[in-house]
Amino acid sequence: AKAEGRGRFRFFEADMDAQMQARRAIELDLRRALALKEFELVYQPQVDLSTQAVVGFEALLRWRNARRGLISPAEFIPIAEDTGLIVSIGEWVLRTACREAASWSHPAEVAVNLSPIQFRDHKLVQTVISALAHSGLEPGRLELEITESALMDETDTVVATLKTLRGLGVRISMDDFGTGYSSLSYLQKFPFDKIKIDQSFVRGMGDNAEAGAIVRAVARLGTSLGMKTTAEGVETQEQLDAIRAEGCSHVQGYLTGRPMSGADAAALLASRGAK
Ligand code: C2E
Ligand code: CA
Ligand code: CA
Ligand code: CA
């Protein structure tokens, strides 16, 4: 039994080794990705439930590598964060999203995800100012999405940065609300413009009453704090009806729109605007 145990351990170790090598190989490709122009942004519609109108898009990062094909952000963003590469990649995302949004015929908002690591970059505020200035995008059309992990350490410093960003006229959303340990306590520390209710709650709504109760409570909380609430990951008409009944103000999900190219987002806005 002992030998078998050791064998399993060795097998496990080899497995870890292979994983680390794979990660290291991704890292090497990731270091070249910006220079090789391998990144692109796709845009997912955000719909206002009171008017049914597309009022904005969330910019989502895609990495297309010649050898690897399309790599999911879930796979490469953690590596970009560990290596610090996320700072320059994040800057590219901000500049590109602002530039593309500024070219839309309709003044829809664009939401950009900020990694917690980007808050350790002392130039973050300057980068946002510069992205707005170069694109000509009105600050009120830019929304920055942060998760509570950004607020976990050095909360005071991060809150100060958020206040400076808000002072520019930029909007701030709390992403993946309810998945961390202290989402509620952070709502007290910073007045977010919007709460994005994590997809796990939306997905749970059909099967368990608890998920529906949580969505309702967060929607009410948002209303009383003067924050918008977006339900994420809505895929079915039943889910849409439910989140509407629970009082969410916005929806983002495959049902109301999959992530699409910048050109398709512009065309969608142009067709809606013409109505
Ligand atoms: P997120 O910020 O929570 O983004 C929402 C994710 O849910 C996106 O996945 C989106 O495509 C997906 N989604 C939207 N509606 C539905 C739906 O109805 N059903 C299902 N099953 N999924 C839906 P994506 O694009 O793969 O991004 C994954 C995560 O990667 C994002 O989660 C975000 O944390 C991160 N990410 C993406 N782009 C960026 C970026 O530019 N910067 C940073 N720092 N993180 C990013
Ligand atoms: Ca997000
Ligand atoms: Ca989210
Ligand atoms: Ca997420």
Side-chain angles (χ1 to χ4, degrees):
K2 210 171 180 180
E4 192 185 277
R6 221 175 14 230
R8 261 214 313 264
F9 177 70
R10 233 180 280 128
F11 175 74
F12 187 65
E13 214 176 28
D15 209 42
M16 293 258 290
D17 219 53
Q19 265 180 40
M20 265 160 66
Q21 275 177 30
R23 211 182 145 90
R24 178 89 189 120
I26 292 179
E27 183 190 324
L28 288 175
D29 285 342
L30 202 52
R31 286 188 187 280
R32 288 190 291 256
L34 265 180
L36 294 175
K37 298 193 185 338
E38 293 182 337
F39 291 116
E40 54 194 76
L41 293 180
V42 289
Y43 296 88
Q44 185 176 32
Q46 299 182 321
V47 172
D48 182 334
L49 281 171
S50 64
T51 60
Q52 320 291 343
V54 173
V55 290
F57 291 87
E58 178 176 2
L60 294 161
L61 185 59
R62 297 292 179 262
W63 176 25
R64 203 180 294 279
N65 177 267
R67 227 161 9 88
R68 297 177 185 275
L70 197 63
I71 305 135
S72 156
E75 210 175 317
F76 71 83
I77 284 179
I79 299 174
E81 289 180 331
D82 286 350
T83 53
L85 287 167
I86 193 68
V87 172
S88 47
I89 296 172
E91 179 171 344
W92 179 88
V93 171
L94 255 171
R95 290 184 184 282
T96 306
C98 288
R99 196 183 58 238
E100 294 208 72
S103 77
W104 295 338
S105 63
H106 202 76
E109 287 174 15
V110 67
V112 171
N113 291 285
L114 283 190
S115 158
I117 309 296
Q118 291 177 266
F119 283 87
R120 297 190 199 151
D121 170 25
H122 298 294
K123 294 195 306 297
L124 175 61
V125 171
Q126 205 44 57
T127 301
V128 173
I129 293 173
S130 164
L132 289 168
H134 277 97
S135 62
L137 188 76
E138 301 93 272
R141 290 179 54 198
L142 177 64
E143 187 171 293
L144 299 174
E145 297 193 1
I146 70 159
T147 55
E148 69 168 73
S149 51
L151 285 151
M152 242 147 53
D153 17 76
E154 311 220 37
T155 309
D156 294 348
T157 318
V158 175
V159 166
T161 303
L162 291 178
K163 285 184 175 158
T164 307
L165 290 169
R166 163 72 67 60
L168 302 173
V170 168
R171 273 183 256 267
I172 315 285
S173 321
M174 185 182 263
D175 203 358
D176 300 349
F177 186 82
T179 57
Y181 293 106
S182 22
S183 301
L184 281 175
S185 85
Y186 292 123
L187 287 188
Q188 204 182 346
K189 295 201 167 85
F190 183 77
F192 289 89
D193 295 284
K194 187 189 274 180
I195 299 170
K196 298 190 78 178
I197 306 174
D198 192 67
Q199 334 197 341
S200 55
F201 300 106
V202 173
R203 205 156 299 141
M205 277 197 308
D207 315 318
N208 64 74
E210 288 80 4
I214 290 169
V215 172
R216 184 182 321 140
V218 176
R220 288 225 186 123
L221 185 69
T223 306
S224 45
L225 292 173
M227 301 175 188
K228 305 265 195 293
T229 46
T230 300
E232 287 197 273
V234 171
E235 294 181 351
T236 68
Q237 186 62 43
E238 290 70 33
Q239 289 169 341
L240 182 66
D241 294 342
I243 62 119
R244 197 199 300 273
E246 305 301 12
C248 293
S249 64
H250 291 74
V251 58
Q252 182 185 338
Y254 291 168
L255 182 72
T256 46
R258 294 226 171 211
M260 59 185 81
S261 69
D264 285 350
L268 177 70
L269 284 173
S271 72
R272 297 282 164 103
K275 260 189 208 157

